[in-house]
Amino acid sequence: MGLAIGVDIGGTKVAAGIVDESGTILRRARADTPDRSVHPKVVEDTIVGVVGELMDGADREIVAVGIGAAGFVAADRATIVFAPHLSWRNEPLRERLGDRVGPPIFIDNDANAAMWAENKFGAARGEADAMMITLGTGIGGGVLMGGEVFRGRFGIAGEFGHMQVVPGGHRCECGNRGCWEQYASGNALVREARGLVSANSPLARDLYERVQGDPSRLTGPLVTEVAQAGDRTAVELLAEVGTWLGIGMANLAAAFDPGIFVVGGGVSAAGELLIEPARQAFRRQLTGRGFRPEARIVRAELGNEAGLIGAADLARQSVTG
């Protein structure tokens, strides 16, 4: 079937790789995601750069390029309608990249791509009805129904991060208040940790010392590292994110009734410190609890590479059938 390149565009990085038919990444490339204030062409240049770097060293034909974007992708699989963390607004991305890349281009939401990869190669193998929740800068979502990616009438199903869970809550980058991703994401984790350090809370002494009293130096991976070392406050911060994660998934189970939830994205690196509180909250909030089967909640197997693996595989299928 040939090799394909997958490109995963997130809030902070553009990760790309050459992927074979078994889902194995043969070569990788990476660049920083341009600031949202820059012209869309700068993002396009970044994509062209990482794809070109990979194609220059490929020893077999590249049959397609798949792009997983953190945003709303129109039903034409060619246009980025809206990307909260980037400058894209009705951006005809496939058209812009077509003459610059070479192989056919397939575009999808990054969480859809991750869901596809986890179903074909990872934690959701064998499940025809599954949901992917990606926790990174925000929350992404992917839905698999009857073994196929469900994208909705206009192509933008799965934007779970922007469900309102707290009326009048924290302002979200999408413009609304109280979105789920304001309570269960890497940004939420960092915001709460920085609040404690800024207040010089005695509960955050370890975190305070790690960043020498500078809250701006706090990152999600650092909070996770401190939690894994046994710091109670960091553990509590992750558990709070996990609790909000479980509440949201219980709502999704009421609507979609999947067999499995796969949790991926950078925050999932916390493992059971995040997943077990999510399971507990899910069981407490699940409609009809005790009288219905419960979906499994598991950590993604493919890690941060699921998006680019899925984008590559979807692109390959789009041209080879």
Side-chain angles (χ1 to χ4, degrees):
M1 294 176 66
L3 302 178
I5 289 177
V7 183
D8 184 17
I9 305 170
T12 59
K13 70 180 185 306
V14 176
I18 297 177
V19 183
D20 69 13
E21 298 89 334
S22 67
T24 300
I25 301 175
L26 305 180
R27 290 189 60 213
R28 294 172 174 81
R30 176 174 171 159
D32 292 336
T33 302
D35 186 86
R36 81 182 69 190
S37 63
V38 304
H39 192 276
K41 186 178 183 302
V42 179
V43 184
E44 295 162 17
D45 291 343
T46 303
I47 297 169
V48 171
V50 295
V51 170
E53 178 183 339
L54 291 171
M55 291 187 66
D56 285 345
D59 57 4
R60 288 166 55 191
E61 180 188 6
I62 303 296
V63 299
V65 174
I67 297 173
F72 301 173
V73 181
D76 63 5
R77 306 288 99 207
T79 305
I80 309 293
V81 177
F82 173 64
H85 306 292
L86 294 168
S87 57
W88 287 331
R89 304 292 182 267
N90 290 310
E91 185 70 15
L93 186 61
R94 188 166 66 192
E95 177 184 332
R96 301 269 197 233
L97 295 176
D99 293 336
R100 305 182 65 192
V101 169
I105 296 169
F106 178 92
I107 301 173
D108 208 338
N109 175 268
D110 57 348
N112 286 346
M115 177 75 267
W116 182 261
E118 289 291 343
N119 181 249
K120 192 164 181 181
F121 307 112
R125 284 188 299 267
E127 288 281 357
D129 299 282
M131 303 192 82
M132 179 89 188
I133 309 295
T134 58
L135 306 183
T137 306
I139 292 180
V143 184
L144 194 79
M145 297 178 65
E148 299 292 335
V149 176
F150 175 73
R151 299 183 177 92
R153 169 65 178 83
F154 303 107
I156 54 179
E159 288 296 333
F160 309 136
H162 300 289
M163 300 185 303
Q164 187 185 64
V165 295
V166 181
H170 292 296
R171 177 74 71 181
C172 182
E173 294 179 6
C174 76
N176 293 329
R177 287 187 178 274
C179 291
W180 189 25
E181 71 175 40
Q182 291 303 308
Y183 300 88
S185 68
N187 276 356
L189 178 65
V190 171
R191 182 190 65 233
E192 296 302 310
R194 286 178 176 175
L196 286 173
V197 170
S198 295
N200 198 15
S201 169
L203 298 177
R205 180 53 48 193
D206 194 2
L207 287 170
Y208 186 95
E209 292 176 354
R210 289 286 190 113
V211 298
Q212 298 178 324
D214 181 1
S216 68
R217 296 175 59 187
L218 269 173
T219 63
L222 177 59
V223 176
T224 297
E225 178 186 330
V226 173
Q228 290 171 334
D231 180 75
R232 283 188 183 181
T233 297
V235 169
E236 287 179 8
L237 289 170
L238 278 167
E240 184 175 351
V241 170
T243 296
W244 278 110
L245 175 61
I247 291 170
M249 288 192 295
N251 290 336
L252 291 171
F256 292 95
D257 191 30
I260 188 172
F261 285 96
V262 180
V263 181
V267 184
S268 70
E272 290 300 302
L273 291 173
L274 174 80
I275 302 295
E276 185 54 32
R279 292 191 188 107
Q280 293 174 10
F282 178 81
R283 294 186 186 112
R284 289 195 301 269
Q285 295 293 128
L286 184 64
T287 302
R289 53 194 173 275
F291 297 95
R292 62 179 288 176
E294 287 186 14
R296 292 185 294 137
I297 300 173
V298 301
R299 182 183 173 190
E301 290 182 7
L302 302 178
N304 289 334
E305 296 178 330
L308 75 88
I309 292 172
D313 198 70
L314 284 168
R316 177 170 33 242
Q317 292 213 2
S318 74
V319 298
T320 63

